[in-house]
Amino acid sequence: MRRKRFSGIVLAGGTLAVALVVMGASPPGSKATARPRSADLAPCEAVAAGARQLGDARWTTLGGAGVESLVEMAPAAPPGSPAEARVAAQAQVRRALDLADGRAPVEVRRLPGTDIFEVSHVSGSAACQSLAFARGPPGAPATLIPSPPLQGELCGGGQAHVGRAGGAPALIQIQRSGLSPGEANAARKPLVTIGVTPWTGSGWGRTCQVELLLNSQRRLADQLCARAADCRAFEINASVLAAAFNRAKATDALQGRRATPVSYHPNPPPASTRAQVEQVRTQLARTQRELPLFGKTPKLPVMPGFSEDELDVVATQSDGRWHVAAVGFPGIGWRQDRSVTLVTVYEVGKTVVPRATYVFEDAVSGLKTARVTH
């Protein structure tokens, strides 16, 4: 996805994202640009300090999805509120956001303690966020003005809203890496990055970032089978297969590569299993990689199928018999969740019969470091 910028308009992920903000950076030599480094980093230092105060048990609950609690995102104004009437409903704002349809849904948030408003719109299968900012003093039309810089794309794992960080009004951008907790941990990369652009009172200050490196643990979150005996019969095999898959993906992340072949067995399975593997591949293609759930609802919400990317179909031995297993991430189309690993074991004969499905979760278990940078 591409991101382009011109005038006060930002294109994020192919979706128009206009930022209309009061006066961007201050002129060279001003106090805003000449502030010492410690002052630039102060909002992020406060966020990082809050992260370090949370115990591991709290991080296990929060995971990578609960980091919003470290900052204060401004709430969206109720539909039809005065803020919407004065800002979002204006034709110039709609035109700037490329929203010809006056009924297209938007959200309006106010930068605390100011007359600056954020207008936000989400669209497309990638859930790309379009942002607009405007000054909206009482009794006057909104003024479209330049935006502060944004890091990366506001699609999928990225979002940005006004609010407070470390008690200061700011634009807050939360970016998730797309890696699983285990992959990010192995690669020593932040799983989540929080960007903070403080409001100085006369414009936007310098952006700082809090990079959160998190510890992880993998666990069996659920098992679904037609019979309880099937779940018990293949659990050890599924655990071994998932562990091999996750080790390979973590190594890929560490070395900056992707989708290298996974070694599941110390010795290659017999040639007679190749036909069985192809039967399961054909079956998965026929059913669009649908995940066998045996009429049950998983305890952990997962996408209802295997991702089309990085899906392995391999032979596996249990009690002296060879079966076939599908191992991969859950996904729909191009979307995938790398924090969950799926293993389904099939019995293959004249037909392909799924016997058991296992859901392994790669979960956050604690904070490793909270690093503050520009």
Side-chain angles (χ1 to χ4, degrees), residues 75 100 104 233 278 283 354 363:
E278 289 308 313
Q283 174 78 353

Side-chain angles (χ1 to χ4, degrees), residues 212-299:
L212 299 176
L213 281 73
L214 303 171
N215 295 317
S216 67
Q217 63 179 3
R218 188 172 55 85
R219 67 183 184 91
L220 177 60
D222 204 358
Q223 45 189 343
L224 305 103
C225 315
R227 302 177 304 171
D230 289 339
C231 281
R232 293 191 298 270
F234 301 108
E235 181 178 340
I236 294 177
N237 291 66
S239 297
V240 170
L241 295 172
F245 182 84
N246 292 135
R247 278 196 305 270
K249 302 311 165 187
T251 301
D252 287 348
L254 177 61
Q255 299 184 3
R257 62 191 186 193
R258 191 177 181 191
T260 54
V262 181
S263 176
Y264 291 100
H265 300 284
N267 299 308
S272 59
T273 63
R274 294 174 187 168
Q276 294 177 311
V277 168
E278 289 308 313
Q279 275 185 269
V280 173
R281 287 188 190 278
T282 301
Q283 174 78 353
L284 286 167
R286 187 181 301 122
T287 61
Q288 286 78 51
R289 301 174 304 282
E290 181 181 355
L291 184 65
L293 298 176
F294 308 95
K296 301 174 183 177
T297 301
K299 298 174 185 176

Side-chain angles (χ1 to χ4, degrees), residues 179-218:
L179 299 173
S180 74
E183 291 170 332
N185 190 3
R188 304 179 189 89
K189 294 180 179 179
L191 185 65
V192 182
T193 300
I194 302 175
V196 177
T197 306
W199 178 254
T200 67
S202 60
W204 296 101
R206 186 177 181 185
T207 299
C208 61
Q209 293 185 332
V210 182
E211 297 180 344
L212 299 176
L213 281 73
L214 303 171
N215 295 317
S216 67
Q217 63 179 3
R218 188 172 55 85

